[in-house]
């Protein structure tokens, strides 16, 4: 069994078909098929159920995938460790929820790219569960999400605090009159969706019909058009609110604040590009804290999460 075979096996397991796996790996399909069959022959066990819709892992296949994830992840980490000794270069994969990527990350990523142009920076977006999954599968060096996560596997660095608001069509200004309106949300696994469902139950509203959307823009546009209601960070909908396209309803604690964290695997190697990214994140958080404290006259600045980040850098980039 070779590491290349495990990479092929892992790709087929994640993609679900030989065709998709071959396209992702840049291999011809016959090569992928041959390597899977050879791996099954070497192990003496079938790793996949073959059916019309593709390939599904057998019990033995699911067990092998757990080891393949760890082995491939460690090999990739080893390559990063060697490359990082030469300076800030090589890949840095960041994952994020769409709301954080839309509002908080453009300036941060632009500053990082200007400072370290040799780093191959990439960003992927999805809901909280998919972001966490990428981090756990070593597909991302770190990810921005609001939770939850398995504490035994993940290190979480506080990043951004967000005010969360209920949004409705502009003509719907009475909150209680919104009971029963469809909820426009991301697919299951979105943290904002779970918060909205808890808020609905607490207000004794019958759980309304769910409309699932794939993008942040579709949710905001759907609410503006009168399809229903949603719950999102105020920073995301501020422009639509100012334009009169939405009605924003502030919420009471504990539903009015959500903290976004930057999460990493506890066993992951902190490469030089990732260490520098954590430093840039700490600077961005500190600037945001200063802006917030300056806007709230007479209030002491809340530098808690920025200080936590700085303490983490003194420990080598990992928060224990």
């Amino acid at each position: 069994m070779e590491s290349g075979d495990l990479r092929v096996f892992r790709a087929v397991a994640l993609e679900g078909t030989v065709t998709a796996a071959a396209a992702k790996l840049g291999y011809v399909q016959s090569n992928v098929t041959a390597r899977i069959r050879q791996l099954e022959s070497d192990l003496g066990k079938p790793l996949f159920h073959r059916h019309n819709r593709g390939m599904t892992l057998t019990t033995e296949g699911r067990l092998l995938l757990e080891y393949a994830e760890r082995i491939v992840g460690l090999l990739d980490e080893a390559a990063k460790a060697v490359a990082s000794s030469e300076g800030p270069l090589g890949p840095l994969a960041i994952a994020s929820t769409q709301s954080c990527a839309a509002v908080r990350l453009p300036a941060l990523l632009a500053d990082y790219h200007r400072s370290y142009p040799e780093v191959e920076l990439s960003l992927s977006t999805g809901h909280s569960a998919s972001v966490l999954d990428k981090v756990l599968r070593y597909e991302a060096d770190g990810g921005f999400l609001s939770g939850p996560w398995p504490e035994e596997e993940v290190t979480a660095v506080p990043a951004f605090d967000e005010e969360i608001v209920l949004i409705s069509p502009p003509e719907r200004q009475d909150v209680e009159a919104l009971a029963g309106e469809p909820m426009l949300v991301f697919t299951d696994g979105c943290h904002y969706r779970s918060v909205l469902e808890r808020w609905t139950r607490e207000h004794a509203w019958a759980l309304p019909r769910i409309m699932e959307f794939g993008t942040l823009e579709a949710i905001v546009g759907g609410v503006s058009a009168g399809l229903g209601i949603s719950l999102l960070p105020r920073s995301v909908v501020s422009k639509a609110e100012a334009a009169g396209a939405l009605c924003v309803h502030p919420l009471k604690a504990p539903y009015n604040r959500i903290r976004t964290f930057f999460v990493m695997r506890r066993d992951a190697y902190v490469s030089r590009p990732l260490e520098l990214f954590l430093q840039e994140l700490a600077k961005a958080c500190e600037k945001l804290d200063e802006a917030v404290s300056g806007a709230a006259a007479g209030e002491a600045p809340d530098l808690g999460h920025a200080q936590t980040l700085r303490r983490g850098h003194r420990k080598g980039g990992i928060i224990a």
Side-chain angles (χ1 to χ4, degrees):
M1 186 188 309
E2 299 180 357
S3 62
D5 295 332
L6 291 178
R7 289 184 185 276
V8 171
F9 163 74
R10 178 176 176 269
V12 176
L14 296 179
E15 298 298 326
T17 67
V18 168
T19 302
K24 183 173 184 178
L25 295 169
Y27 295 170
V28 296
Q29 294 184 35
S30 58
N31 188 8
V32 173
T33 299
R35 296 181 77 163
I36 292 296
R37 287 177 177 169
Q38 184 61 52
L39 188 58
E40 290 179 319
S41 176
D42 291 344
L43 294 173
K45 298 284 185 179
L47 300 175
F48 293 96
H49 297 295
R50 277 80 168 175
H51 48 77
N52 292 336
R53 295 185 302 276
M55 301 170 70
T56 305
L57 288 170
T58 62
T59 300
E60 292 81 4
R62 288 195 296 271
L63 179 61
L64 181 61
L65 181 61
E66 293 180 12
Y67 286 96
E69 294 281 11
R70 289 153 60 184
I71 293 169
V72 171
L74 286 172
L75 288 172
D76 290 342
E77 291 295 338
K80 290 177 184 177
V82 173
S84 67
S85 64
E86 302 174 357
L89 51 83
L92 178 63
I94 303 298
S96 174
T97 58
Q98 289 193 35
S99 57
C100 182
V103 177
R104 300 299 181 192
L105 297 192
L108 171 63
L109 297 181
D111 288 343
Y112 183 89
H113 179 66
R114 280 192 293 269
S115 298
Y116 312 107
E118 297 301 317
V119 174
E120 299 167 19
L121 184 63
S122 64
L123 173 67
S124 59
T125 61
H127 52 66
S128 292
S130 66
V131 170
L132 178 62
D133 189 56
K134 288 183 178 181
V135 173
L136 293 178
R137 291 181 179 275
Y138 298 94
E139 294 177 2
D141 296 288
F144 290 93
L145 54 85
S146 299
W149 53 78
E151 294 186 1
E152 69 278 4
E153 296 183 73
V154 167
T155 293
V157 178
F160 308 111
D161 286 327
E162 299 287 357
E163 179 188 2
I164 304 303
V165 294
L166 184 72
I167 61 173
S168 67
E171 67 277 6
R172 305 295 298 278
Q173 300 184 13
D174 181 2
V175 172
E176 295 306 320
L178 299 175
E181 288 294 311
M183 292 197 304
L184 279 59
V185 295
F186 289 115
T187 54
D188 197 19
C190 172
H191 187 60
Y192 295 140
R193 172 176 177 167
S194 64
V195 172
L196 179 55
E197 289 174 347
R198 291 201 305 272
W199 184 87
T200 299
R201 288 193 296 269
E202 182 178 291
H203 284 70
W205 288 5
L207 191 62
R209 184 158 55 95
I210 300 294
M211 292 186 179
E212 294 186 347
F213 290 79
T215 66
L216 190 64
E217 293 79 5
I219 291 177
V220 173
V223 172
S224 178
L227 281 177
I229 61 175
S230 191
L231 183 145
L232 289 171
R234 187 160 205 157
S235 57
V236 170
V237 300
S238 58
K239 290 184 179 180
E241 178 189 11
L246 294 171
C247 184
V248 170
H249 310 273
L251 303 177
K252 296 181 179 179
Y255 298 103
N256 62 334
R257 309 294 302 183
I258 287 182
R259 174 166 286 185
T260 297
F261 292 78
F262 184 70
V263 303
M264 302 165 287
R265 284 194 63 104
R266 285 188 179 275
D267 61 359
Y269 173 78
V270 181
S271 64
R272 183 59 175 162
L274 179 56
E275 181 184 0
L276 293 171
F277 183 81
L278 288 167
Q279 293 176 9
E280 291 295 325
L281 176 59
K283 293 176 186 177
C285 291
E286 189 169 0
K287 289 179 182 178
L288 184 60
D289 282 333
E290 291 173 352
V292 171
S293 62
E299 294 184 5
D302 176 16
L303 298 178
H305 58 280
Q307 290 167 350
T308 301
L309 282 166
R310 289 195 294 274
R311 287 196 296 272
H313 302 320
R314 289 196 292 270
K315 296 179 182 178
I318 277 287
I319 307 297

